[in-house]
């Protein structure tokens, strides 16, 4: 009964070859997030969707794009992966709206760039 | 600019004793704070949270303390158990921001 599902768990891609990571949720949450986490560092927010509204972080490289075709699914596209993009990519959801709620995370996708 | 800081990369505690993990923040707009636990090769899982209107929140073995004047929070685990060995992340959000800012994490090891 996983609530936030990321596929694949492990992804190997070639330098410069576009890659897409996927995330789905069964929680019907309004907000979906993509975080990048490199070893021993804090998870870094790349962008998030509130419903269909896309919110990009100011320092997220243009190489990273996202799509949210419906409430349940969100994709992270890396147009031309570099060696520095190797990381764990975490998808998360939250209810949104008034008040504070916690975010629920998927298991992550470990991206390797060769 | 690291808005949320966990200055101890690692902590080792004996089983049965108290574990205390610390977190500092710089943004005075933060009003909601969370702790997440992360096992290797898994995503973070929510542990406990606290709103800025409180200074303490307790859930079983886990207690979070918030000192707003010092911009400091801590997570107490007592008694510590081997299954508590994991990386613990502190996170914060500002009202209406709909996003969490994370610290770097502290790796907690509970020794038998």
């Amino acid at each position: 009964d996983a609530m936030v599902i990321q596929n694949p768990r492990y992804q190997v891609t070639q330098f410069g070859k576009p890659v897409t990571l996927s995330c789905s949720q069964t929680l019907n949450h309004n907000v979906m997030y993509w975080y990048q986490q490199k070893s021993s560092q804090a998870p870094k927010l790349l962008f998030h969707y509130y419903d269909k509204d896309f919110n990009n972080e100011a320092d997220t490289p243009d190489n990273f794009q996202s799509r949210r075709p419906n409430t349940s699914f969100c994709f992270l596209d890396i147009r031309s992966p570099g060696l520095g993009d190797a990381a764990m990519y975490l998808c998360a959801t939250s209810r949104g709206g008034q008040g504070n709620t916690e975010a629920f995370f998927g298991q992550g996708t470990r991206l390797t760039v060769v | 600019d690291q808005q949320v800081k966990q200055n101890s990369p690692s902590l080792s505690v004996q089983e049965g004793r108290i574990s205390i993990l610390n977190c500092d923040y710089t943004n005075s707009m933060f009003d909601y704070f969370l702790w997440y636990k992360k096992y290797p090769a898994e995503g973070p899982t929510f542990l406990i949270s606290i709103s800025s209107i409180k200074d303490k929140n307790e859930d079983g073995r886990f207690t979070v303390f918030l000192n707003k004047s010092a911009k400091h929070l801590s997570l107490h685990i007592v008694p510590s158990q081997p299954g508590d060995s994991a990386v613990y992340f502190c996170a914060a959000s500002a009202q209406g921001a709909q996003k969490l800012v994370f610290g770097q994490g502290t790796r907690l090891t509970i020794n038998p």
Side-chain angles (χ1 to χ4, degrees):
Chain A
D1 56 344
M3 296 179 289
V4 182
I5 304 163
Q6 291 187 243
N7 283 305
R9 292 289 307 278
Y10 301 91
Q11 176 73 57
V12 180
T13 191
Q14 289 182 329
F15 182 94
K17 184 175 181 181
V19 65
T20 295
L21 310 182
S22 71
C23 177
S24 64
Q25 57 136 337
T26 59
L27 297 162
N28 204 34
H29 280 172
N30 294 318
V31 191
M32 293 188 78
Y33 308 84
W34 281 103
Y35 282 86
Q36 179 195 62
Q37 188 193 10
K38 297 187 177 180
S39 182
S40 301
Q41 295 184 21
K44 178 181 177 299
L45 182 64
L46 296 173
F47 25 59
H48 73 279
Y49 276 94
Y50 195 121
D51 293 327
K52 292 186 178 181
D53 292 332
F54 177 70
N55 299 272
N56 198 31
E57 293 299 299
D59 56 354
T60 298
D62 292 339
N63 197 27
F64 292 87
Q65 303 286 319
S66 186
R67 296 170 282 136
R68 189 179 185 187
N70 54 53
T71 300
S72 301
F73 286 88
C74 195
F75 300 97
L76 170 62
D77 301 308
I78 308 176
R79 293 194 294 190
S80 181
L83 297 179
D85 297 327
M88 173 74 85
Y89 290 88
L90 297 164
C91 174
T93 74
S94 70
R95 191 176 66 228
Q98 293 290 333
N100 295 300
T101 60
E102 66 268 23
F104 293 83
F105 283 82
Q107 291 186 295
T109 295
R110 169 75 62 188
L111 179 68
T112 301
V113 182
V114 296
Chain B
D1 177 28
Q2 191 77 23
Q3 297 185 67
V4 178
K5 296 181 183 179
Q6 294 176 254
N7 291 318
S8 299
S10 64
L11 176 67
S12 186
V13 174
Q14 194 169 4
E15 181 179 0
R17 299 287 186 103
I18 184 171
S19 296
I20 300 175
L21 298 108
N22 294 301
C23 178
D24 297 294
Y25 62 96
T26 58
N27 189 340
S28 58
M29 297 300 291
F30 288 149
D31 61 358
Y32 188 59
F33 305 89
L34 309 90
W35 285 95
Y36 281 82
K37 177 179 179 179
K38 185 180 184 302
Y39 292 119
E42 294 185 12
T45 56
F46 170 73
L47 199 55
I48 192 169
S49 64
I50 188 166
S51 166
S52 60
I53 62 173
K54 295 185 175 182
D55 55 17
K56 177 183 175 181
N57 189 27
E58 193 171 353
D59 183 3
R61 296 186 298 114
F62 303 91
T63 303
V64 56
F65 295 91
L66 175 63
N67 182 333
K68 288 186 290 293
S69 60
K71 293 191 175 68
H72 177 84
L73 63 154
S74 61
L75 174 68
H76 293 211
I77 307 173
V78 56
S80 300
Q81 299 174 354
D84 297 329
S85 295
V87 177
Y88 289 79
F89 289 97
C90 170
S93 71
Q95 179 67 261
Q98 301 293 349
K99 59 183 182 181
L100 297 177
V101 179
F102 282 85
Q104 310 96 304
T106 297
R107 181 176 301 278
L108 175 65
T109 303
I110 306 300
N111 301 307

